[in-house]
């Protein structure tokens, strides 16, 4: 897990802006502890360390994952010329199937609740085939190679992601209105029936607005 590696290095004083990329994750994960398939040589798997200097409340920090989704969508568009949609809150989607997963984690100081650091993890499917995904994952996942007939070089995609995240970080949280407008435009969840999952409970609802 690149997120775990960043957290290990952060505990040892690693500087802000550290990025860790790997060829494969054996412990890749997503939200709510779900596994994230990270096949060797098939995707971009990277995490970035941030140490926000501003005093941010948790309400502002809780929107960071959505900001990252917009940045990742911009990165794919910059490399490939097409812009994925966003499935609330943090999946990039092409043709109804998942292209990219995002996991944002933060660490607080126990005594003061002060923010120590934020870890932003991004996983983008580049060259997987249906056979790579397997029968369970293939119906719900897609790679750029499948969608476009080709995929950008991993280094090119990584550079685009880092550049987009750099722009996000420079704007966060001051330019909230502009990023929220972009998120709404990209969000595929609006106008649909959704399932709300929380604390082991599930209910159906209609997504009206962000």
């Amino acid at each position: 897990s690149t997120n775990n590696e960043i957290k290990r290095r952060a505990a040892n004083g690693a500087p802000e802006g550290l990025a860790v990329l790997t060829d494969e994750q054996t412990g890749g994960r997503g939200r709510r502890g779900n596994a994230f398939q990270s096949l060797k040589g098939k995707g971009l798997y990277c995490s970035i360390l941030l140490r926000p200097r501003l005093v941010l409340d948790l309400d502002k920090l809780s929107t960071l994952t959505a900001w990252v989704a917009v940045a990742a969508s911009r990165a794919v568009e910059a490399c490939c010329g097409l812009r994925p949609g966003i499935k609330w809150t943090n999946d990039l989607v092409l043709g109804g199937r998942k292209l990219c997963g995002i996991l944002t984690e933060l660490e607080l100081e126990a005594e003061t609740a002060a923010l120590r650091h934020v870890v932003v993890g991004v996983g983008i499917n580049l060259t997987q085939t249906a056979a790579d995904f397997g029968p369970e994952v293939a119906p719900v996942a897609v790679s750029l190679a499948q969608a476009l007939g080709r995929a950008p070089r991993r280094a090119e995609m990584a550079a685009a992601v880092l550049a987009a995240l750099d722009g996000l970080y420079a704007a966060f949280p001051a330019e909230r209105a502009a990023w929220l407008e972009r998120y709404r435009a990209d969000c595929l969840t609006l106008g649909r029936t959704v399932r709300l999952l929380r604390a082991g409970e599930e209910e159906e609802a209609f997504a009206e607005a962000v």
Side-chain angles (χ1 to χ4, degrees):
S1 163
T2 53
N3 269 32
N4 284 355
E5 180 63 16
I6 286 279
K7 287 189 282 187
R8 184 184 70 80
R9 297 190 189 197
N12 292 324
E16 178 175 68
L18 171 68
V20 169
L21 293 85
T22 187
D23 194 48
E24 175 186 18
Q25 290 186 117
T26 55
R29 66 186 188 281
R31 294 172 63 232
R32 300 193 300 273
N34 293 328
F36 182 81
Q37 190 186 77
S38 311
L39 299 178
K40 184 176 179 64
K42 297 289 183 175
L44 170 66
Y45 318 119
C46 69
S47 297
I48 298 93
L49 174 63
L50 302 178
R51 297 186 185 275
R53 297 171 184 82
L54 299 176
V55 177
L56 300 175
D57 58 42
L58 289 180
D59 183 55
K60 288 188 176 69
L61 278 171
S62 69
T63 68
L64 183 60
T65 298
W67 284 56
V68 174
V70 173
S73 184
R74 284 183 175 176
V76 172
E77 184 179 33
C79 274
C80 305
L82 83 168
R83 192 179 187 99
I86 300 171
K87 177 185 174 185
W88 176 269
T89 179
N90 64 331
D91 289 343
L92 299 193
V93 176
L94 280 177
R97 294 188 290 170
K98 181 174 177 176
L99 174 70
C100 168
I102 295 164
L103 180 63
T104 304
E105 299 179 290
L106 57 88
E107 182 174 315
L108 303 177
E109 193 173 82
E111 293 80 10
T112 64
L115 178 66
R116 285 183 172 172
H117 61 257
V118 177
V119 181
V120 175
V122 178
I124 301 177
N125 299 327
L126 296 180
T127 61
Q128 291 93 331
T129 64
D132 290 326
F133 285 128
E136 292 186 3
V137 177
V140 296
V142 69
S143 69
L144 286 173
Q146 286 177 305
L148 301 173
R150 58 176 177 80
R153 292 185 304 112
R154 184 167 56 182
E156 181 185 0
M157 190 77 254
V161 167
L162 293 174
L165 287 173
D166 192 51
L168 171 158
Y169 196 44
F172 184 81
E175 297 178 21
R176 178 181 181 277
W179 281 80
L180 183 56
E181 182 181 2
R182 184 66 257 180
Y183 185 88
R184 287 171 174 151
D186 288 338
C187 186
L188 303 175
T189 307
L190 299 181
R192 296 173 181 261
T193 299
V194 297
R195 290 180 303 131
L196 302 181
L197 307 175
R198 51 192 173 195
E201 298 180 354
E202 179 178 330
E203 64 178 291
E204 198 171 89
F206 185 78
E208 294 184 354
V210 175

